[in-house]
Amino acid sequence: MIAFASNSLLCRLALKQSGIDVATFTFVRIFSGAVVLWLIVKLRKGAWRDAGNWPSALALFVYAAAFSFAYVTLSAGTGALLLFGAVQATMILWGVRCGERLRVRQLAGLALALGGLVALLLPGLSAPPLGGSILMLGAGLAWGIYSLRGKAAGNPMTATAGNFLRALPFAAILSMALLPWARLDRAGIVYAVLSGAIGSGLGYVIWYTALPYLRAASAATVQLSVPVLAAAGGILLLREPLTLRFVFTSMAVLGGIALVVIHPPPTRSG
């Protein structure tokens, strides 16, 4: 979860305090993650050529691209809240589709979470920009799909390496399409490499390793801490403001989803 939160901070830091453009940041992030993972697989003498798959790679690219473009206008904390609110909703609804049943308490929690997201996006002085919010919600949907597909991905290291390698052509096409607006920046490239190699590449391997042992709802639960970590990092490192609107809506979203995915312990009969 620290790796996921660091991605929000590194992306926001690159786009706020360096001159790198969004498409280049996305390409360098995916490229550096692919290189690091490929080297690790090669050192471990693993078979990577048939690892991963194109649907997961496409979901990974959509997440990374929408994530980067959204952070042009969103703060680290707000972006993470929207991202993982969408992730958790996607995974919870998929669990329901696969036969998981929601109790009254869980339905109330889902309504509270959705209400918190709506309240965050309502027009007002502290409401986040609509375009960036839609992009981040789309990124959350793509990441939720990527996570759900990872439950049956096989070897976590080779699967993640294969997905990153397959995502490279999509990132290259995006960069070429936006080449007239490309801007290189040394600091921005460093942030992108750190995000791709450590926050994304190695972080996703750890995530793929844990996923087979988690139910869809449980996988959503462990991500509840990311918006809080990202918001705290944004306030401490990027001097981003902490608004009461964000505090209350984040409590509603995260608390509501917690009601959905955290099951109370069974009561003991006397």
Side-chain angles (χ1 to χ4, degrees), residues 119-208:
L120 178 66
L121 299 177
L122 284 175
L125 293 178
S126 58
L130 182 60
S133 300
I134 292 173
L135 282 170
M136 192 59 82
L137 291 173
L141 174 63
W143 179 253
I145 293 172
Y146 184 76
S147 295
L148 289 168
R149 292 185 60 84
K151 293 177 67 66
N155 185 289
M157 179 66 71
T158 56
T160 307
N163 290 333
F164 266 80
L165 287 168
R166 284 177 167 83
L168 266 178
F170 300 121
I173 292 172
L174 176 66
S175 293
M176 288 187 290
L178 299 179
L179 190 60
W181 296 273
R183 299 189 309 274
L184 295 179
D185 180 274
R186 182 177 299 177
I189 291 175
V190 170
Y191 295 142
V193 170
L194 290 174
S195 176
I198 301 175
S200 300
L202 298 181
Y204 297 175
V205 169
I206 297 172
W207 182 234
Y208 258 35

Side-chain angles (χ1 to χ4, degrees), residues 24-91:
T24 300
F25 177 88
T26 302
F27 176 80
V28 173
R29 179 186 177 189
I30 294 177
F31 178 79
S32 58
V35 169
V36 168
L37 291 170
W38 179 80
L39 288 174
I40 293 175
V41 171
K42 289 291 288 183
L43 289 174
R44 296 176 59 178
K45 298 182 180 180
W48 59 271
R49 292 185 180 276
D50 296 325
N53 56 80
W54 287 106
S56 292
L58 179 60
L60 175 63
F61 164 73
V62 171
Y63 151 73
F67 176 92
S68 300
F69 278 97
Y71 266 127
V72 172
T73 57
L74 298 179
S75 68
T78 300
L81 176 61
L82 291 170
L83 174 70
F84 286 97
V87 169
Q88 292 153 4
T90 300
M91 299 183 74

Side-chain angles (χ1 to χ4, degrees), residues 179-258:
L179 190 60
W181 296 273
R183 299 189 309 274
L184 295 179
D185 180 274
R186 182 177 299 177
I189 291 175
V190 170
Y191 295 142
V193 170
L194 290 174
S195 176
I198 301 175
S200 300
L202 298 181
Y204 297 175
V205 169
I206 297 172
W207 182 234
Y208 258 35
T209 302
L211 276 172
Y213 305 99
L214 299 174
R215 297 174 60 190
S218 299
T221 305
V222 298
Q223 299 177 80
L224 293 175
S225 61
V226 176
V228 178
L229 293 171
I235 294 166
L236 295 175
L237 302 177
L238 306 180
R239 297 181 180 179
E240 293 179 344
L242 178 64
T243 65
L244 286 176
R245 183 175 190 158
F246 175 79
V247 171
F248 289 128
T249 55
S250 63
M251 289 173 61
V253 172
L254 302 182
I257 295 177

